[in-house]
Amino acid sequence: ERPPFRRARTRGAARPSPFVTYLIVLPSIHPESTERCLAGLADPLKDRLLLVDNTEANRGLAASWNLGARRVLDEGLDWLVILSAGTRFGPAGGEDFVALLDRYDPTTTWVIESDAPVNQHLMAWSRPMLEGVGLADENFWPIYGEDADFSRRVHIAQAEGWGGAWVKEPVD
């Protein structure tokens, strides 16, 4: 049985809980950046990674995110972690960010975002958020605008009183 969500913030060697379910999606268009990102990602997290190779046929960023989002919805996972190939990890290799997923209830917290300035995209979207606002708009192709549109839809849900919280957390 899953323990209750913990809201205490801890620093240091945080590890992901075995109870939280997630998938990490990494769209890739630049192999060198992707290799550098993956070199810093902790090995246990690589088992939950969906690498979307856009080098041969560019699906676009929103479509790449949606491949992961559909798996989260189809498999009943708690979270989708959005990772950019430009993300560089500290010593924890991303495990500190993934450990945050266990501290928030995905029904009341919809988005967890890293506030680290070196990260381009490192955030988690909850399954209830995906069910509520839908998938990313693939008409924003190949990139630019899909993140602003998605943020707008989440903020509209919040303003209407049915959306969950958007939190920023420090990670290394």
Side-chain angles (χ1 to χ4, degrees), residues 2-172:
R2 182 184 186 128
F5 291 96
R6 295 170 291 160
R7 300 222 184 265
R9 293 177 60 169
T10 60
R11 302 285 297 179
R15 295 280 185 250
S17 164
F19 297 103
V20 69
T21 58
Y22 64 93
L23 175 72
I24 301 170
V25 65
L26 172 58
S28 173
I29 193 76
H30 301 290
E32 300 82 21
S33 291
T34 301
E35 288 172 17
R36 284 194 303 270
C37 176
L38 291 175
L41 186 65
D43 286 338
L45 302 186
K46 292 175 184 174
D47 292 338
R48 297 187 184 190
L49 177 70
L50 171 62
L51 179 62
V52 181
D53 184 355
N54 286 318
T55 56
E56 296 291 322
N58 190 353
R59 293 171 187 81
L61 190 57
S64 298
W65 290 346
N66 287 345
L67 288 173
R70 285 184 186 96
R71 280 199 36 200
V72 166
L73 294 170
D74 291 347
E75 297 174 20
L77 304 176
D78 297 317
W79 297 95
L80 174 65
V81 176
I82 302 294
L83 178 59
S84 167
T87 302
R88 301 296 177 257
F89 295 102
E95 287 186 316
D96 51 347
F97 183 78
V98 172
L100 293 170
L101 305 181
D102 197 41
R103 297 190 190 131
Y104 289 96
D105 180 342
T107 62
T108 58
T109 300
W110 277 12
V111 179
I112 303 170
E113 182 178 7
S114 165
D115 73 349
V118 297
N119 292 325
Q120 294 176 345
H121 279 106
L122 178 56
M123 59 176 48
W125 297 345
S126 73
R127 182 173 33 85
M129 189 230 24
L130 292 167
E131 293 167 342
V133 302
L135 300 175
D137 187 343
E138 295 180 16
N139 290 310
F140 293 99
W141 183 91
I143 60 170
Y144 302 119
E146 68 286 322
D147 51 353
D149 174 68
F150 210 76
S151 296
R152 180 187 61 81
R153 288 190 278 149
V154 170
H155 291 302
I156 287 171
Q158 290 170 325
E160 292 176 351
W162 60 273
W166 186 309
V167 300
K168 289 190 175 193
E169 285 279 359
V171 294
D172 297 323

